[in-house]
Amino acid sequence: MKARNRVVEKPGEQQQRSVFCVLPNGFPAMAEHLSQSELDYPFKLLEYFNGFRVSKVIFSACELGVFDLLLHSQKPLSAAEVSQELGTSEDGMERLLDVLVGIEILEVELTKGTAYYSSTDVANLYLAKSSPKSLHDMIIYQSQTIYPLWNNMVDAVREGKNQNEKTFGLSSEDIFSAIYRSEEQMLKFMGLMNSTWIIDGHDIVTAFDLTCFKSIVDVGGCSGALARELAKAYPASTVTVLDLPKVVQTAQKHFSQSDDTIHFHEGDFFEEDLPAADLYVLARIIHDWKEEKCLTLAEENSCSLPARRGCSASGGSAV
């Protein structure tokens, strides 16, 4: 039997309807409140349909270097000036800049009939590559890797596997063989992870008080960005990044900082014993493998944890 929809209008509330999906047993599966205007014209649906266009506008502007140029120009620039500096067509650039104004990422002012563009504070902070809080590396990875993969989402659902082979001609068996297939690709992925933790790393590591853990290992810690946030928040603790040898070497070569207090440990956490620690952090890695491997990793973490006294979590903790 199929579920059926029921629309209920409450007396005196003509501008809002409650839409229920009712299961065969008569119980509502979910309820969503929609305004009458939304039912008359699908504003939200159209916004969702066209969301990819907004993403691609931002991706393209980042790849072309628009935000860095505007940040360093010290003055608003015309479309002709931007296109000349970046080697693009003037018409194409003007269209791109106007869309960025429309979504409130850039600002525009008219002077003697000519439009001059400048960045908003948000664009300068998060979209310019030179900003300490830049999401540029995240955006490049989304544009050049994630976006093409999502073009094959229908096949992913049908087949139940990732689409690296169809998208990039790479084996779909080992996802990290694709991600780390070259130093260039590895740097893109590590840049993505670095950007991620620059934004929300501090909030994550301070969501719980981890002061009692004197030795912390970030399992699969990649560039060390989250480990650095841990080290800043808990300076009395020793923080170590555990990852594959080639990842550790790349992290130390490209992402190390002069004031680093974190340590790196080369190893394969599926093949080798974990280095001793009071706390193991598993952040944004569990989703990379099937459940059996995740359970194996969780068991290994539990077995490696020492008993701790004076800490709210008896016997250590795994996050």
Side-chain angles (χ1 to χ4, degrees):
M1 295 178 64
K2 294 183 179 179
R4 62 187 186 277
N5 291 331
R6 181 182 301 166
V7 179
V8 180
E9 244 185 82
K10 298 178 182 179
E13 296 184 5
Q14 296 180 358
Q15 295 305 309
Q16 180 170 308
R17 291 183 178 181
S18 298
V19 180
F20 295 93
C21 177
V22 183
L23 297 176
N25 59 13
F27 293 103
M30 64 179 182
E32 182 182 359
H33 293 291
L34 298 173
S35 66
Q36 181 62 53
S37 61
E38 191 72 25
L39 293 172
D40 291 337
Y41 189 85
F43 294 100
K44 278 292 182 185
L45 284 178
L46 291 174
E47 181 182 341
Y48 298 153
F49 294 165
N50 290 294
F52 75 95
R53 301 186 188 193
V54 176
S55 300
K56 203 57 182 173
V57 164
I58 298 171
F59 294 167
S60 300
C62 278
E63 291 190 59
L64 289 167
V66 170
F67 302 113
D68 287 286
L69 175 63
L70 292 176
L71 174 64
H72 297 298
S73 70
Q74 303 297 318
K75 64 175 184 177
L77 299 177
S78 67
E81 291 170 321
V82 175
S83 65
Q84 183 175 4
E85 288 291 331
L86 300 181
T88 73
S89 71
E90 182 178 340
D91 179 65
M93 180 55 68
E94 184 175 24
R95 291 171 185 270
L96 180 64
L97 295 174
D98 284 340
V99 176
L100 290 166
V101 171
I103 59 176
E104 300 181 345
I105 289 178
L106 295 185
E107 295 175 341
V108 65
E109 58 185 57
L110 286 174
T111 303
K112 296 181 179 179
T114 300
Y116 290 89
Y117 302 88
S118 58
S119 285
T120 61
D121 291 340
V122 168
N124 286 333
L125 185 61
Y126 293 115
L127 300 180
K129 189 175 182 179
S130 55
S131 168
K133 286 195 172 184
S134 175
L135 298 179
H136 181 271
D137 289 340
M138 178 190 293
I139 289 168
I140 296 301
Y141 194 82
Q142 294 276 7
S143 179
Q144 298 179 358
T145 303
I146 303 299
Y147 195 92
L149 283 167
W150 277 62
N151 280 334
N152 292 314
M153 186 174 182
V154 170
D155 292 319
V157 173
R158 284 176 178 153
E159 300 165 8
K161 64 180 184 181
N162 71 65
Q163 295 298 302
N164 278 312
E165 186 171 356
K166 186 164 293 183
T167 309
F168 302 115
L170 303 167
S171 171
S172 61
E173 293 302 316
D174 183 359
I175 187 173
F176 281 96
S177 293
I179 291 173
Y180 296 152
R181 62 187 180 273
S182 68
E183 184 175 7
E184 179 187 3
Q185 293 302 319
M186 184 184 297
L187 281 171
K188 285 182 181 180
F189 177 76
M190 295 176 76
L192 161 73
M193 299 308 297
N194 211 60
S195 295
T196 299
W197 294 124
I198 285 174
I199 294 300
D200 54 25
H202 175 76
D203 292 338
I204 296 293
V205 303
T206 56
F208 302 96
D209 184 5
L210 306 178
T211 306
C212 62
F213 299 106
K214 299 307 178 186
S215 58
I216 303 173
V217 170
D218 183 5
V219 180
C222 200
S223 68
L226 182 62
R228 289 186 184 91
E229 295 298 332
L230 281 162
K232 291 175 187 176
Y234 307 102
S237 300
T238 300
V239 182
T240 301
V241 173
L242 169 63
D243 218 313
L244 296 171
K246 58 184 178 181
V247 176
V248 166
Q249 292 158 20
T250 304
Q252 291 176 317
K253 179 180 178 181
H254 294 280
F255 295 94
S256 61
Q257 298 180 2
S258 58
D259 58 348
D260 264 349
T261 60
I262 63 174
H263 307 275
F264 284 89
H265 183 97
E266 297 180 4
D268 185 333
F269 46 77
F270 282 118
E271 302 294 334
E272 305 165 24
D273 291 337
L274 298 177
D278 300 325
L279 175 69
Y280 295 105
V281 176
L282 281 71
R284 289 182 174 155
I285 65 168
I286 293 295
H287 63 280
D288 291 325
W289 300 283
K290 293 182 178 180
E291 187 173 356
E292 312 85 73
K293 294 197 79 170
C294 293
L295 291 173
T296 299
L297 183 58
E299 276 182 26
E300 187 178 355
N301 287 343
S302 299
C303 292
S304 300
L305 288 167
R308 297 264 322 148
R309 291 184 180 180
C311 193
S312 59
S314 60
S317 294
V319 177

